[in-house]
Amino acid sequence: MRVGLFIPCYIDQFYPRVGAAAVRVLRRFGGPDLHLEYPEGQVCCGQPMANAGLPHESQPLAETNLKALSGFDAVVCPSGSCTSMVRNHYAPFLEGHPGYEELQAKTYEFCEFLTDVLKVGSPAGRFPHKIGLHNGCHGLRELRLGSGSERNVAPFDKVRSLLTNLEGLTFAEPERPDECCGFGGTFAVQEEAVSVMMGKDKVADYRQAGTEALVSPDMSCLMHLEGVLRRGGDQTTRVLHVAEVLEEATREP
Amino acid sequence: MTKTAEHPDRARAFVADDARAHWHDESLWFVRQKRDRQVHSVPEWERLRELASQVKRHAISRWPDYLEEFEKNATALGAKVHWAADAEEHNRIVLGILRDAGVKKITKSKSMLTEEVHLNPYLIKHGIDVTDTDLGERIVQLREETPSHIVLPAIHLKREDVSETFHDKIGTESGNADPAYLTEAARQHLREKFLGAEASITGVNFLVAETGGFVVCTNEGNADLGTSLPRLHIACTGIEKLVPRAADLAIYLRLLARSATGQPITTYTSHFHGPRPGGELHIVLVDNGRSDLANDPQFRDVLNCIRCGACMNTCPVYRRSGGHSYAATVPGPIGSVLNPLHALTPRIVRESEQGEGVEPREGEAGDAHGSLPFACSLCGSCTDVCPVKIPLHHQLLALRKTVGDRGLLPWGKRIGMKAAGKLLNSPKLFGVAGRLARKALPVLPRAAIYNRLNPWGVGRDLPPAPPKSFKQMWRDELKQEASSPGDPK
């Protein structure tokens, strides 16, 4: 299987360690048949402009990505939000373009790819920390990586299922498990006051639940929450992408 | 000309009172939790939501037929049905009915429609004494404020605030904030108003085409009290309240109270079929932009709304910024869709008929609510909580484009996003800019990074800059690792 890695622009620049962890985890769980490539022609998914009310400005980016990411058996992206952009919001830009429907069907969020395509179940490993798991809103409600607290459906959580069997790992249980952290892309800047209040509340909720490491499949939420943590004087709570937890927990000694 | 800074400014002011903002957040989260418990007691909840959405869509797709059926059946029951194209016509009709009956004093139970068309100030200007009888509505009316929530109109007020208002306006003891005492005082005060009223206005929750009847839901029984004494009853309603069959009520009545307040059903669910013996019943059906919305496939589903307020209770932005920060009759997620649409749609419809460049009509600037679609982190909780499945957060996203297309975004944002688009679409330029930023950030003095030009940095630190980008890491090490021996290609 030829897998193309789609690395969000802010992970490329500020969190390359997350991309590296994703590479190593995919290699480890994908077996010898998984061939990983990073197409260098890829660009930002275009979400900032679309969410700011200027989707015309996102169109060229969608076209660039279609060109760069075509031809793989699967495209894997360590971000629910960017994955949702490709899967759920590229239609107005790419409808009718050759290869668009294929890209839409074959683009997976990192955890989703592990659970649904590679079928890794709940891998064994060791991560002796109490983690606060934050499922980003787009992963949760646009990609349905989890059931969500609003709906009355059988409960499931693809992200959590990947971590449940790790030795020593326990979950902190916040009071509002799937409330938005307040990042929201351009929202974080346009509505700075509400965004920061949401971030502080989220951090407080995780703290009261005994969180030692804050973990999410969406690094953008974590960028915001880490910013709030560090500004508030907390320099020690670890802030990690799910890929990093899996990488560290399943590394051969 | 643009006023897109409105919501953020009002929200910042609300957030600045940290204790009150948190109290507001927690009061509404409590309601959301009550709602969750009720929802999980109904195994077929998701199926009910789907049915509720489909029945409304069907009704709206055949509006003319069902509205005619309603009029025919309501008339046969002895009601008089009036049609109002817009707010002004609605208010004129209501005043006309009151004048014909020689009425000077009325009570009015809760109705978001009469808020939407600003009926109170209109009637008061024309010499009618109007008393809102929903307790929350009465409190905000005494304070000369607008409701801050569609189901909990005074949710922004603490009981100390209510105590003060009642002391000033209806003469309760100063400093007595005992809920039982205040409620009793309100009860006595309202009883006088009920006894003196010559007519009663109510809102409507559901109009039933099949029977010509309608349903009014309250928790305080104030609509029933209001309509019991006077012989004249005027029911004011938007045409979207229509459902085809009486049996459909079984769906909506199960969804409404659970979604609104976490009760299994409203305390009073009153069915009106024609006037009481010797009385008069007028039903005013209001369009006010609704049929334009019905013709818009992208936003049509917003007409499904049954005004339960669940989207507000779940919205993390609404809870922390307060209803008044939306400066609109209907706040929160649903209001952030409705208000800009209401302002923009008539012009967009005229443009589609007459071509671009149509002059805006008075009050139709379309920019007053331009910031509301952006008062949202696009978390999507409103969409999942909505009992009639309005895709609220996707509509908000679509509305941002509408606002952008109409040139209502601030200049800086337009230029900035254009530049960002160019930069982000070039792997080379983006790489260079990123490298510069990562080199500059660690060596720049704090004041150069954290100042008023950087809204991110007001309350948050930036991430530490790593030495290499992912792309460099890929070239330098990861690529070899990904295809190292042991990887049998």
Side-chain angles (χ1 to χ4, degrees):
Chain A
M1 182 167 34
R2 274 184 72 226
V3 173
L5 256 189
F6 181 37
I7 298 293
C9 54
Y10 66 95
I11 290 189
D12 177 37
Q13 290 303 321
F14 287 103
Y15 300 101
R17 60 168 218 256
V18 172
V23 168
R24 290 176 184 133
V25 170
L26 287 170
R27 281 259 303 156
R28 217 168 280 160
F29 291 115
D33 293 335
L34 189 141
H35 302 294
L36 202 55
E37 293 173 42
Y38 172 67
E40 292 197 11
Q42 64 182 269
V43 293
C44 161
C45 67
Q47 195 168 167
M49 286 71 77
N51 286 9
L54 295 156
H56 302 299
E57 307 297 335
S58 312
Q59 168 109 26
L61 285 82
E63 287 169 3
T64 305
N65 282 329
L66 176 63
K67 210 180 298 165
L69 301 171
S70 282
F72 291 99
D73 299 311
V75 171
V76 177
C77 173
S79 155
S81 196
C82 307
T83 305
S84 173
M85 183 69 190
V86 175
R87 189 184 295 171
N88 300 321
H89 301 284
Y90 266 13
F93 313 132
L94 298 179
E95 198 114 70
H97 284 54
Y100 158 62
E101 281 175 18
E102 206 188 342
L103 177 68
Q104 189 189 28
K106 289 182 176 172
T107 300
Y108 296 90
E109 187 276 331
F110 172 77
C111 298
E112 185 184 42
F113 182 74
L114 292 179
T115 57
D116 297 2
V117 181
L118 297 185
K119 314 239 183 250
V120 301
S122 303
R126 189 176 146 70
F127 196 79
H129 302 282
K130 187 165 190 177
I131 71 158
L133 182 60
H134 170 68
N135 279 335
C137 297
H138 286 174
L140 189 67
R141 302 195 187 90
E142 295 239 309
L143 302 178
R144 299 290 183 210
L145 298 182
S147 46
S149 59
E150 295 89 355
R151 298 186 309 148
N152 188 356
V153 298
F156 67 96
D157 186 338
K158 294 181 185 179
V159 184
R160 192 169 167 137
S161 74
L162 283 168
L163 304 173
T164 44
N165 270 356
L166 298 180
E167 192 191 324
L169 182 142
T170 52
F171 291 97
E173 306 292 355
E175 281 177 17
R176 305 183 187 183
D178 52 21
E179 171 147 303
C180 176
C181 71
F183 172 63
T186 49
F187 174 83
V189 174
Q190 172 145 358
E191 288 271 0
E192 175 272 325
V194 181
S195 170
V196 168
M197 183 176 169
M198 287 166 73
K200 283 182 176 170
D201 289 351
K202 199 78 196 164
V203 161
D205 197 6
Y206 280 115
R207 189 171 279 143
Q208 64 78 25
T211 298
E212 292 165 21
L214 195 52
V215 177
S216 173
D218 257 299
M219 210 56 217
S220 50
C221 307
L222 290 179
M223 177 168 72
H224 166 67
L225 291 176
E226 185 176 23
V228 169
L229 272 174
R230 303 299 182 239
R231 177 62 58 92
D234 180 335
Q235 306 300 330
T236 52
T237 299
R238 294 183 76 191
V239 177
L240 299 163
H241 191 277
V242 174
E244 294 179 280
V245 175
L246 284 172
E247 200 281 319
E248 190 176 316
T250 63
R251 198 183 295 159
E252 292 294 320
Chain B
M1 56 134 212
T2 53
K3 295 187 213 152
T4 44
E6 268 186 2
H7 185 272
D9 294 342
R10 291 174 203 266
R12 178 171 291 107
F14 194 84
V15 166
D17 186 343
D18 190 69
R20 185 175 274 263
H22 275 107
W23 167 81
H24 189 264
D25 167 63
E26 271 163 30
S27 309
L28 288 159
W29 183 254
F30 176 75
V31 183
R32 158 78 208 269
Q33 286 177 305
K34 269 178 78 188
R35 172 252 173 222
D36 290 355
R37 282 196 292 276
Q38 282 298 330
V39 163
H40 287 281
S41 73
V42 180
E44 67 275 30
W45 183 258
E46 297 303 322
R47 191 171 136 69
L48 280 178
R49 289 176 71 216
E50 185 57 35
L51 278 173
S53 153
Q54 286 181 10
V55 170
K56 279 275 183 180
R57 278 182 171 189
H58 167 77
I60 291 160
S61 74
R62 291 184 49 198
W63 249 354
D65 298 343
Y66 284 125
L67 284 168
E68 257 179 53
E69 189 185 343
F70 176 79
E71 183 182 30
K72 191 177 87 205
N73 291 330
T75 308
L77 290 169
K80 173 101 177 60
V81 177
H82 306 259
W83 300 84
D86 55 25
E88 198 205 333
E89 193 176 2
H90 166 270
N91 292 348
R92 227 175 28 234
I93 290 170
V94 173
L95 182 65
I97 300 168
L98 294 174
R99 281 194 170 156
D100 286 349
V103 165
K104 289 278 185 211
K105 275 194 233 169
I106 67 165
T107 55
K108 181 165 81 60
S109 76
K110 211 153 110 31
S111 146
M112 289 318 291
L113 186 274
T114 59
E115 295 288 339
E116 170 187 326
V117 300
H118 304 293
L119 180 66
N120 280 16
Y122 178 87
L123 290 182
I124 291 163
K125 195 176 79 191
H126 288 90
I128 309 279
D129 178 5
V130 189
T131 303
D132 280 318
T133 60
D134 172 272
L135 181 54
E137 289 269 347
R138 185 62 183 150
I139 294 166
V140 296
Q141 189 186 26
L142 288 172
R143 294 171 63 93
E144 295 175 34
E145 285 178 356
T146 53
S148 69
H149 186 291
I150 61 174
V151 174
L152 312 157
I155 190 69
H156 59 293
L157 299 171
K158 296 191 170 192
R159 57 195 163 96
E160 290 73 21
D161 304 323
V162 176
S163 164
E164 212 172 290
T165 305
F166 279 9
H167 173 65
D168 287 350
K169 306 282 180 173
I170 63 173
T172 56
E173 239 172 77
S174 174
N176 191 338
D178 175 45
Y181 170 73
L182 292 175
T183 320
E184 186 53 30
R187 195 194 302 270
Q188 296 305 333
H189 161 77
L190 281 172
R191 185 128 312 184
E192 257 173 57
K193 297 289 181 182
F194 281 126
L195 290 170
E198 299 151 328
S200 141
I201 293 180
T202 68
V204 165
N205 289 89
F206 303 99
L207 296 162
V208 182
E210 180 186 48
T211 63
F214 61 91
V215 177
V216 179
C217 303
T218 72
N219 275 328
E220 297 165 14
N222 54 311
D224 311 77
L225 271 171
T227 53
S228 293
L229 285 172
R231 52 176 298 278
L232 175 61
H233 174 187
I234 308 171
C236 302
T237 177
I239 50 177
E240 83 283 7
K241 301 285 179 178
L242 193 70
V243 297
R245 304 161 306 179
D248 299 325
L249 293 172
I251 306 168
Y252 296 102
L253 292 174
R254 297 186 76 195
L255 292 167
L256 178 65
R258 286 185 169 89
S259 297
T261 53
Q263 294 164 268
I265 191 142
T266 40
T267 315
Y268 300 88
T269 302
S270 305
H271 299 247
F272 293 88
H273 292 97
R276 47 189 277 210
E280 252 181 84
L281 172 63
H282 294 259
I283 303 167
V284 191
L285 300 171
V286 187
D287 186 318
N288 208 27
R290 286 160 175 77
S291 31
D292 287 339
L293 282 179
N295 289 327
D296 187 334
Q298 194 166 22
F299 295 109
R300 181 182 294 153
D301 284 353
V302 80
L303 293 165
N304 289 359
C305 180
I306 56 172
R307 301 291 192 268
C308 69
C311 60
M312 294 163 204
N313 303 341
T314 205
C315 177
V317 179
Y318 174 90
R319 277 191 262 110
R320 288 173 180 81
S321 60
H324 287 150
S325 67
Y326 294 80
T329 304
V330 180
I334 181 70
S336 298
V337 176
L338 281 174
N339 294 291
L341 270 181
H342 196 67
L344 288 165
T345 305
R347 194 157 135 213
I348 294 170
V349 169
R350 286 212 312 290
E351 277 183 352
S352 69
E353 288 161 358
Q354 300 164 27
E356 281 193 22
V358 176
E359 283 297 307
R361 286 179 188 154
E362 207 185 323
E364 197 195 61
D367 57 358
H369 301 297
S371 69
L372 297 189
F374 298 90
C376 160
S377 64
L378 296 173
C379 78
S381 186
C382 50
T383 300
D384 276 356
V385 101
C386 178
V388 286
K389 288 196 151 182
I390 304 169
L392 284 161
H393 76 292
H394 285 159
Q395 292 193 342
L396 287 168
L397 179 61
L399 261 178
R400 293 181 182 188
K401 176 178 183 293
T402 309
V403 171
D405 285 350
R406 311 214 53 82
L408 296 171
L409 290 174
W411 176 84
K413 192 173 187 177
R414 281 203 310 270
I415 300 300
M417 281 298 162
K418 221 179 228 332
K422 293 266 177 300
L423 176 72
L424 290 168
N425 197 27
S426 161
K428 228 180 219 141
L429 274 180
F430 179 68
V432 172
R435 194 157 60 238
L436 287 176
R438 278 183 289 108
K439 283 216 184 323
L441 279 175
V443 294
L444 279 174
R446 234 184 128 76
I449 304 168
Y450 296 102
N451 52 49
R452 61 187 181 82
L453 294 174
N454 173 13
W456 177 273
V458 177
R460 288 160 294 217
D461 278 10
L462 284 164
K468 282 184 187 180
S469 70
F470 175 80
K471 191 190 272 185
Q472 285 169 280
M473 278 182 85
W474 175 263
R475 286 178 180 172
D476 295 351
E477 51 201 289
L478 294 168
K479 191 175 179 178
Q480 289 84 331
E481 209 181 296
S483 54
S484 62
D487 175 17
K489 274 197 181 168

